[in-house]
Amino acid sequence: MNTLAFWIPLLFLFASALLGTILKRRAKDHCLKKFEGYHICMPALNGEMIKGILSVYAQGIQISYSKKVEQDIGMIDSFVLHPVEIERIPYLIRPVPDPETRAGLNWSMEMNKILHPNFFQRSQRLLLTFYNMLKDAFGQAAKAIIGALSKDTSLAKVKDSNKRIEEVRSGLTELVPNAWEPILEKYRGRRVVIERKGTNGTLLESGVLEDYSSKYLLLREVHLKESEILEKTSLINQKKSFGFDILFSRKVAIIRHTIDGSSN
């Protein structure tokens, strides 16, 4: 028990468990985080439309209602979704604010930066892309190293060692997704057309591509065509010409076309 061959695998497993916990606590989708703190609408798994303030956690999201809902079990003030459930949500909708309000002014300023980035903002994006590529390379190398260590005979003898190592590898995958997608990067800040399946068949809806991740496409100023969604969100009576900012799940939506900016 006093030999290094005995203690090193145990120390490695302890460090792996600690690293896995840290990775899980930090693994938040950066597109989803951009909606945090805003009033959003999203369909629940039973078809009901949930509305409220979004809070994002590493292992789920919470929608806080503006008004408490009375039920037999008590006053309900929020709705919680866990990771497996979140993956089945097709979209999250954030109404574009009235341009005559302060929130609308801030939104317009953000849109101007997205559509017309200056030299500093373009440079910042290039640095971020380079950083993500390095992080991606590090993640791939770390997973390879961890995979090689798992084949070590002394480590393989320790109970649950393979399970712990796999937890770290999966955590690295979630924290370090693919860093850069050329075609999506090219059309950031451009109006594109999303293709998704609606209630009555395939829908094409346009919006400005702000950002993307391995799970979501974030589009600004989307003009929804599906009246059923508008009715369910109770937003159809508002000035819907303002449009919506929408997080589309990449499981149900893809970018099908790009739009010529000179035609606007």
Side-chain angles (χ1 to χ4, degrees):
M1 291 183 63
N2 294 326
T3 63
L4 288 176
F6 175 81
W7 288 107
I8 287 178
L10 293 181
L11 290 173
F12 177 78
L13 284 179
F14 174 79
S16 298
L18 180 61
L19 178 60
T21 301
I22 294 173
L23 291 175
K24 286 182 179 180
R25 290 177 62 89
R26 292 179 59 86
K28 295 182 182 181
D29 185 277
H30 68 273
C31 284
L32 189 59
K33 284 171 62 178
K34 291 186 178 183
F35 274 25
E36 186 168 20
Y38 288 93
H39 189 93
I40 63 101
C41 307
M42 51 165 265
L45 300 180
N46 61 2
E48 178 187 358
M49 192 65 72
I50 305 297
K51 298 184 292 182
I53 304 299
L54 176 66
S55 297
V56 180
Y57 301 92
Q59 296 298 312
I61 62 174
Q62 181 179 20
I63 312 297
S64 299
Y65 301 140
S66 55
K67 293 182 180 179
K68 296 180 181 180
V69 180
E70 185 176 359
Q71 294 187 0
D72 295 339
I73 55 176
M75 300 295 289
I76 306 299
D77 61 4
S78 70
F79 185 83
V80 177
L81 282 94
H82 302 279
V84 176
E85 297 172 310
I86 296 172
E87 292 180 359
R88 296 166 60 189
I89 301 299
Y91 47 77
L92 287 83
I93 303 172
R94 180 179 65 183
V96 172
D98 188 326
E100 296 181 0
T101 64
R102 178 171 292 277
L105 177 61
N106 292 335
W107 184 91
S108 297
M109 293 173 63
E110 291 174 0
M111 275 296 292
N112 186 61
K113 291 178 180 179
I114 295 168
L115 295 170
H116 309 289
N118 56 33
F119 175 78
F120 174 76
Q121 291 159 351
R122 289 196 296 269
S123 300
Q124 191 177 39
R125 182 68 185 189
L126 286 173
L127 289 174
L128 178 61
T129 300
F130 180 68
Y131 166 75
N132 285 335
M133 292 175 67
L134 288 178
K135 192 170 67 169
D136 185 33
F138 168 77
Q140 297 297 328
K143 286 188 287 184
I145 292 170
I146 290 172
L149 288 173
S150 66
K151 298 177 182 178
D152 183 82
T153 55
S154 60
L155 186 62
K157 294 178 182 178
V158 180
K159 185 179 179 180
D160 292 335
S161 60
N162 289 335
K163 179 180 178 182
R164 300 304 176 191
I165 290 171
E166 188 57 35
E167 286 179 358
V168 178
R169 294 183 68 180
S170 62
L172 282 169
T173 301
E174 293 177 3
L175 185 64
V176 190
N178 293 331
W180 184 61
E181 296 186 41
I183 193 166
L184 295 182
E185 193 67 27
K186 178 180 179 181
Y187 289 104
R188 285 184 63 253
R190 290 273 304 275
R191 186 164 289 276
V192 298
V193 177
I194 284 285
E195 178 182 297
R196 67 178 181 88
K197 183 173 293 186
T199 306
N200 300 316
T202 301
L203 285 174
L204 297 176
E205 295 168 329
S206 69
V208 176
L209 178 63
E210 177 183 354
D211 211 344
Y212 60 90
S213 68
S214 60
K215 296 180 180 180
Y216 295 103
L217 296 169
L218 172 53
L219 272 73
R220 293 270 195 144
E221 204 176 31
V222 179
H223 292 277
L224 289 170
K225 293 183 177 179
E226 200 166 2
S227 60
E228 183 178 348
I229 295 179
L230 294 169
E231 291 169 359
K232 283 184 177 180
T233 57
S234 299
L235 293 169
I236 197 168
N237 294 324
Q238 293 188 11
K239 297 178 181 178
K240 60 182 180 181
S241 59
F242 297 158
F244 305 94
D245 298 334
I246 304 181
L247 271 176
F248 289 102
S249 170
R250 296 184 67 170
K251 289 187 175 182
V252 299
I254 59 172
I255 292 180
R256 177 59 69 195
H257 306 285
T258 57
I259 296 179
D260 183 7
S262 63
S263 62
N264 294 336

